[in-house]
Amino acid sequence: MTERTLVLVKPDGVQRQLAGRIIARFEERGLKIVGLKFVKVDRALAERHYAVHKGKPFFDGLVAFITSSPLVAIAFEGPNAIGMVRTMVGATKPADAVPGTIRGDLAVEMGQNLIHASDGPETAATELAIWFRPEELVSYEREIDRWVRGPEAR
Ligand code: UDP
Ligand code: MG
C-alpha cells in the first residue's frame, strides 16, 4: 500500500552537515519526496510533535534540543513507506542500531540520533499535518510510476 511518512533530520544532522546524505539514503532507496522544508522550530510545534512523550524524563531536553537549531522536515511517499523508513532509521538507541541503518552508521548518542520518523499510520497522518499544510504536500508522477501502475498507465 502506498503510504506517506514524516522524516525529520534533527538539529544534530543539520549541524553535522549530514542532511543531504540522510535524505539521499531514502531517495536512493526509491522513496519519493512529496514535501520538504527547512525549519527553526518553536516550542509549541516541538511540544505538539513530541506530545506522546510529555511527562517523560527526557521530554524537556528533547524539546530544548529540537528547538535549538534548524531541522529539515521531509514527507516521503512509497509502498509501505512508514515501516520501510523506520527500518532504515534503526533503533532509537544508536548502540542498538544495526550497521546499515542510518543511526547504526552515523550516530552514537540517544539524544543525538539524527532523525525522527513516524512510527505508524496514525502517527504519520498526525505528524504530516503538524509539519505540512495540505498544499505543501505535492502529488506528482514519475516516469517509473507508470510501470508500477501497469500497462494501461503506459
Ligand atoms: N530519547 C531520549 N532518551 C530516551 C528516549 C528517547 O533522549 O530515553 C529521544 C531520542 O532522541 C528519540 C526521541 O527522544 O529519538 C523520541 O523517542 P522515541 O522513543 O519516539 O524514539 P524514535 O521514535 O525517535 O526512535
Ligand atoms: Mg518516536
Side-chain angles (χ1 to χ4, degrees):
M1 190 180 61
T2 301
E3 294 176 336
R4 285 181 173 180
T5 190
L6 175 78
V7 167
L8 303 179
V9 178
K10 297 198 280 193
D12 48 327
V14 174
Q15 292 277 330
R16 291 175 59 195
Q17 305 202 184
L18 293 172
R21 281 175 65 183
I22 290 171
I23 294 167
R25 293 176 76 129
F26 299 114
E27 274 197 294
E28 287 165 347
R29 183 78 189 261
L31 291 163
K32 189 199 279 190
I33 296 174
V34 293
L36 179 70
K37 58 170 71 170
F38 184 69
V39 201
K40 176 80 158 63
V41 186
D42 65 24
R43 192 174 172 86
L45 179 65
E47 290 196 355
R48 264 174 83 205
H49 173 74
Y50 278 126
V52 64
H53 295 307
K54 201 167 171 70
K56 294 183 187 169
F58 60 87
F59 180 77
D60 288 343
L62 183 59
V63 169
F65 184 63
I66 207 98
T67 55
S68 67
S69 180
L71 54 75
V72 184
I74 314 106
F76 282 108
E77 181 182 283
N80 303 104
I82 299 166
M84 186 184 288
V85 166
R86 286 288 292 193
T87 302
M88 292 173 70
V89 166
T92 305
K93 190 176 170 190
D96 297 335
V98 177
T101 64
I102 293 165
R103 288 166 173 166
D105 287 346
L106 301 172
V108 290
E109 293 287 346
M110 173 101 94
Q112 291 164 46
N113 59 7
L114 290 173
I115 189 162
H116 167 86
S118 308
D119 63 7
E122 284 172 22
T123 333
T126 309
E127 292 176 353
L128 286 167
I130 289 175
W131 290 89
F132 292 95
R133 294 195 300 273
E135 66 272 22
E136 292 176 330
L137 295 174
V138 182
S139 296
Y140 62 99
E141 192 161 65
R142 302 168 300 188
E143 196 61 32
I144 201 75
D145 296 328
R146 285 190 251 282
W147 291 86
V148 177
R149 283 205 285 127
E152 70 285 354
R154 305 198 278 269

